[in-house]
Amino acid sequence: MSTNYKADFPLLAQRDVAYLDSAATAQRPQCVLDAEREFYTRHNANPLRGLYPLSIEATDALESARAAVARFLGAAQSEEIVFTRNTTEGLNLVAYSYGLSHVKAGDEILISTMEHHSNILPWQMVCRQTGAQLKFMECEPDGSLDLNKVEALITAKTRVVALQQVSNVLGREYPIRVVAELAHRVGAVLVVDGAQSTPHLPVNVQELGADFLAFSGHKLYGPMGIGALYGRRELLEQMPPFLTGGEMIESVTREGAVFAEAPHKFEAGTVNAAGAAGLHAAIDYVERVGFDTIHARELAVTADALARMRVLPHVRILGSDQAEEHNGILTFVVDNVHPHDVSELLAADGVAVRAGHHCAEPLHRFLGYHATVRASFAFYNDKTDVDRLVGSLSTVRGRMGYDD
């Protein structure tokens, strides 16, 4: 495998763009595109529903991908992996299935101010429907958590603690293992949003003590429309189906149904088997590159960008002043220039960044901003991308008519 990782990604090899929006969606290497194409050209059939060779091959591809996800996350068994469309669906599955069946009036659900909306709205729904109370862990100005404050918020009434492992705004990693221990002391379960952690960090759900963890394939260099939810087997067995219909049943009568065992009872209808094959290829690719290499390369470009952006007049970087605490995410504002204008000016120079509230409005309100600009790096980024970012950013205020 070449160390010119951009060559592995067709879009990056063909387009003149400094792509710095990988926290929203990563680019796909050729091997992922090939895996999806191979499924449709060589194995296309409905998995789990036929005894003919093509259907058996499709089933094998699906279950092989499930085993790869289980290995990637350190799950005890592949039956603990449920395929979903994305992180959002995985978190909603937990909220609707576990939350509505295990939370009641007077209980408490604890989430953080820093959460992506996908880990806020489902729990608001559970509280509305059950009469439970939603409580918030507040972050410090640099985005960190004070564990003493967290411990004080977890009480005998706490039933669910939901927390992202890495912030999609500040890049901050949160102490999942410690929070899991605090939650388990009172019999609560810990639900982890792994959307931003799985592309950057080795994740082992058993070592973390996570009861549930959801992630999206498209942030992990895999296809859009495929994701996975890890759930401890004993919890999945207690939970009712999230959706009902084909394939998630053992039998159906006029009076009712007997549901299939987990994970299949959570996978109603035709699954995205080609997407699962692509996700399998993405996991294999990430493991070939290795997280040591991924971390080293991402830290190098993040540190370079952080140091050079910090000396630009009127540029303010949110969160920690340490590059290693950003996990490839630098969120910033430019004095007196709207983030959307910053994004458009950078785009005119071929630099792709994200502007807005990044589906994290409560965090932005806490930080005192309506919107920000986010540059998010992956291991395929290099110094030339940082050069383009900093060079374009240095001209933003002048192009808006300011005389610095």
Side-chain angles (χ1 to χ4, degrees):
M1 182 184 293
S2 169
T3 56
N4 177 23
Y5 292 106
K6 283 185 179 179
D8 294 340
F9 294 79
L11 185 145
L12 297 179
Q14 297 171 21
R15 297 289 296 270
D16 179 24
V17 59
Y19 186 77
L20 305 179
D21 196 22
S22 294
T25 194
Q27 295 302 323
R28 284 93 180 120
Q30 185 65 53
C31 60
V32 169
L33 305 179
D34 290 343
E36 277 203 288
R37 178 181 294 273
E38 180 180 8
F39 179 87
Y40 281 126
T41 56
R42 298 186 59 189
H43 312 294
N44 184 43
N46 208 317
L48 306 171
R49 298 189 184 186
L51 299 178
Y52 54 93
L54 277 177
S55 183
I56 293 170
E57 291 169 20
T59 301
D60 288 345
L62 178 69
E63 295 308 323
S64 178
R66 195 189 308 276
V69 174
R71 183 189 70 246
F72 182 70
L73 295 181
Q77 52 190 290
S78 60
E79 289 78 11
E80 294 181 317
I81 303 301
V82 178
F83 283 119
T84 62
R85 289 183 302 133
N86 44 43
T87 308
T88 299
E89 184 174 293
L91 295 171
N92 273 270
L93 191 161
V94 178
Y96 276 89
S97 183
Y98 183 87
L100 292 181
S101 62
H102 288 75
V103 175
K104 62 184 187 303
D107 290 342
E108 296 174 350
I109 296 175
L110 180 62
I111 64 175
S112 84
T113 308
M114 301 82 72
E115 299 307 306
H116 188 283
H117 296 165
S118 294
N119 208 22
I120 297 177
L121 272 63
W123 304 114
Q124 290 178 339
M125 176 279 300
V126 172
C127 288
R128 283 195 305 271
Q129 294 200 25
T130 63
Q133 180 184 2
L134 188 64
K135 296 170 61 177
F136 285 85
M137 298 175 268
E138 306 289 352
C139 67
E140 302 304 305
D142 65 355
S144 62
L145 275 177
D146 183 330
L147 287 172
N148 290 324
K149 294 179 182 178
V150 173
E151 184 173 11
L153 287 168
I154 297 176
T155 73
K157 295 181 179 180
T158 306
R159 294 293 173 265
V160 175
V161 179
L163 179 65
Q164 59 191 331
Q165 189 173 9
V166 170
S167 169
N168 72 308
V169 176
L170 302 176
R172 170 76 68 168
E173 181 182 359
Y174 295 105
I176 296 298
R177 187 180 307 176
V178 177
V179 176
E181 292 173 356
L182 295 175
H184 293 160
R185 283 183 196 173
V186 299
V189 300
L190 178 67
V191 182
V192 180
D193 175 352
Q196 295 297 335
S197 58
T198 46
H200 304 284
L201 309 169
V203 173
N204 186 300
V205 290
Q206 294 187 81
E207 292 179 1
L208 290 173
D211 298 293
F212 299 96
L213 184 143
F215 77 95
S216 295
H218 72 97
K219 298 182 192 292
L220 189 67
Y221 315 102
M224 292 183 180
I226 188 72
L229 170 70
Y230 158 80
R232 283 199 294 116
R233 181 67 182 270
E234 55 267 37
L235 297 178
L236 293 178
E237 289 176 346
Q238 299 170 15
M239 294 158 53
F242 176 41
L243 299 172
T244 55
E247 198 50 53
M248 47 72 64
I249 51 87
E250 291 291 345
S251 62
V252 177
T253 66
R254 295 189 183 194
E255 292 76 28
V258 177
F259 300 125
E261 297 288 327
H264 298 295
K265 72 175 176 179
F266 300 109
E267 295 175 351
T270 298
V271 296
N272 183 1
L279 178 58
H280 190 172
I283 288 172
D284 288 348
Y285 177 79
V286 166
E287 290 178 336
R288 287 197 303 274
V289 175
F291 277 111
D292 287 345
T293 297
I294 289 172
H295 174 73
R297 290 179 62 89
E298 292 177 348
L299 179 57
V301 293
T302 304
D304 184 24
L306 181 63
R308 294 164 65 184
M309 290 169 62
R310 190 179 286 151
V311 299
L312 292 178
H314 306 289
V315 174
R316 304 176 187 274
I317 300 170
L318 280 61
S320 172
D321 59 359
Q322 302 298 314
E324 59 269 23
E325 294 181 341
H326 281 268
N327 285 291
I329 292 175
L330 294 178
T331 295
F332 61 94
V333 294
V334 179
D335 288 346
N336 301 317
V337 183
H338 194 282
H340 290 169
D341 292 327
V342 176
S343 177
E344 288 191 15
L345 290 170
L346 266 60
D349 294 336
V351 180
V353 297
R354 179 60 58 95
H357 53 60
H358 316 300
C359 297
E361 288 192 76
L363 175 58
H364 274 75
R365 290 195 183 97
F366 172 81
L367 295 172
Y369 297 99
H370 175 70
T372 56
V373 186
R374 183 185 69 192
S376 52
F377 301 96
F379 70 91
Y380 44 59
N381 292 119
D382 55 27
K383 186 178 184 299
T384 64
D385 296 317
V386 178
D387 291 343
R388 294 179 70 175
L389 169 66
V390 176
S392 182
L393 190 56
S394 68
T395 69
V396 162
R397 280 178 55 88
R399 292 154 77 181
M400 292 295 293
Y402 292 99
D403 183 5
D404 293 334

